[in-house]
Amino acid sequence: MSYRVLIVDDSKLARMSVGKALDALHPDWVRVEAANADDAVALLKDVDLVLLDFNMPGKDGLEFAGELRGQYPDMPVAIISANHQVEIINRAGAAGAAFLPKPLTAQALGAFLDDAVGALKSAGR
Amino acid sequence: MSASAANVLDELELDALTELVNIGVSRAANSLREMVGEQVHLSVPQITLLGRNDAIRLLSEREEDKLVAVHQVFDGDIHGRVLLIFPEKKSLELVRAVTGGDLSLEDIIELEHEALAETGNIILNGCLATIANLLERNLKMSLPEILKGDGPEFFELAPPPAAGDVVLFLYIDFAIRQRDINGYIVMLMDMPSLAALKVLLQEFIQRATGAAPPRQDA
């Protein structure tokens, strides 16, 4: 099963880096990118899961994750950040998002994607 | 000079550097959170590469009052100076935020120097150490030193910089205990160091993205 993944990060380099890790794990999945939360909104209806940078100009990743949860309750979401303060991790959890440390490792991403596939399958997608 | 300095890094290299610095300050925020026991927000929304005179002008246009800086020298494959600069008025705010606000004004003034040095050291080391690690290089950092002044003198520290010095000018947003403290991180390097940084950034981009190395003969 091929899924569509939305990567939201203001850094092009960071999007390329996440894309590389994703390609290595799931070369058949489709990657969609946005540089901020506002641009991401238009892409949401066509994607299955979302990888969100925390620290972005405009709406930050946590705020956006909270909105996503309201609109798309079954969509797997991960927050990616080097900022692993307990408040950030707790807020990610409260928004129903996984927390992945930056720089992203293939192992951390792989574990999240395995969980996401499980959740998507049980939601019938 | 400043025009060529500003063009040394291309868009993706500057993006990579911004990303590295943000990972660095995020880690510094984690360390500060341990120290103060409350959430700390630190981010670097923008990096600009400037010649020294342009950097002096930019800082004096934005900040009219006295400034305070935490200064450290770094040395290794790239070498130069790094400064964390705040308006002096904000420095007591910062100390109050870091220490928790229960202290008297006398205590805060007494602690100002030490708290600034410690906070600056955490932020600057967080940046530089993360950059060095992700670039797979080693950088040595000197002990922090507190400077006060109007700004231009921060760019003219002894030994005098070479004529071709370039400045990486970073805006830093700092929020702690509901206090917002905006400041700057300034990295001063000479052209050979900037050229070395460019090569390291290209290698980093290649590792991070799997892209082919840029053509050197273009």
Side-chain angles (χ1 to χ4, degrees), chain A residues 44-96:
Chain A
L44 283 173
K45 59 182 189 319
D46 294 322
V47 299
D48 301 295
L49 56 147
V50 183
L51 300 169
L52 275 177
D53 181 29
F54 164 51
N55 208 346
M56 291 186 287
K59 201 175 288 172
D60 74 36
L62 282 171
E63 211 182 328
F64 189 47
E67 292 180 11
L68 276 176
R69 190 50 60 225
Q71 283 176 282
Y72 301 91
D74 295 327
M75 190 181 281
V77 176
I79 298 282
I80 304 174
S81 177
N83 188 341
H84 58 76
Q85 292 178 68
V86 64
E87 288 84 358
I88 308 281
I89 295 173
N90 288 346
R91 280 180 61 200

Side-chain angles (χ1 to χ4, degrees), chain B residues 66-68 84-88 90 94 116 174 181-183:
Chain B
K66 289 272 178 203
L67 299 169
V68 56
L84 178 69
I85 302 174
F86 292 108
E88 194 177 7
K90 291 280 185 186
L94 177 72
L116 278 176
F174 192 170
I181 299 161
N182 297 322

Side-chain angles (χ1 to χ4, degrees), chain B residues 27 127-139 207:
Chain B
R27 290 187 177 165
C127 274
L128 270 291
T130 302
I131 290 173
N133 287 343
L134 291 172
L135 296 179
E136 300 184 350
R137 287 300 186 279
N138 183 36
L139 287 181
R207 281 195 301 276

